[in-house]
């Protein structure tokens, strides 16, 4: 969306449709997201969906996180071993404007 680009945020989305084994698809998507996240241009990643988060962490060989709080209720913030930030949200809940709420909270916390 244009708002995300205006904020300087990048979006990495899985295709809406995939064919074949869902676990193989998740593993492939996790590898692609890992390459993007491990570049130096990101210090924080927001992941929607537990399966997606698990696939990313698995691809990065991360088996534990250090929880450091919540950006919103039900939206935890964790510190990765690389000292980058991971924000996760389960796929089954949340208002459609949740990303805007997260941005507002992160922007407000920094000022």
């Amino acid at each position: 969306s244009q708002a995300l680009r205006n904020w300087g945020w990048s979006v990495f989305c899985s295709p809406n449709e995939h064919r074949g084994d869902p676990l193989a698809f998740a593993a492939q998507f996790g590898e692609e997201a890992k390459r993007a996240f491990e570049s130096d241009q990101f210090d924080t990643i927001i992941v929607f969906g537990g399966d997606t988060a698990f696939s990313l962490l698995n691809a990065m060989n991360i088996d534990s996180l250090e929880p450091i709080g919540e950006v919103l209720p039900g939206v935890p913030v964790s510190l990765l071993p690389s000292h980058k930030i991971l924000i996760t949200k389960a796929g089954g809940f949340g208002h459609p404007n949740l990303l805007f709420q997260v941005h507002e909270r992160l922007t407000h916390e920094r000022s």
Side-chain angles (χ1 to χ4, degrees), residues 52-74:
T52 304
F54 179 79
S55 295
L56 174 62
L57 294 172
N58 192 44
M60 296 174 74
N61 295 316
I62 295 173
D63 58 7
S64 66
L65 302 170
E66 181 183 339
I68 56 176
E70 288 183 316
V71 67
L72 293 169

Side-chain angles (χ1 to χ4, degrees), residues 2-4 7 13 22 29 32 37-38 41-42 46-47 51 55-56 59 64 67-68 70 73 75 79 82 89 95 104:
Q2 185 61 41
L4 296 174
W7 297 340
C13 297
F29 182 73
E32 292 171 11
F37 186 49
E38 287 182 339
Q41 58 183 320
F42 296 103
I46 301 172
V47 179
D51 291 339
S55 295
L56 174 62
S64 66
I68 56 176
E70 288 183 316
V75 183
L79 187 63
S82 65
K89 185 196 83 64
H95 191 274
E104 178 67 25

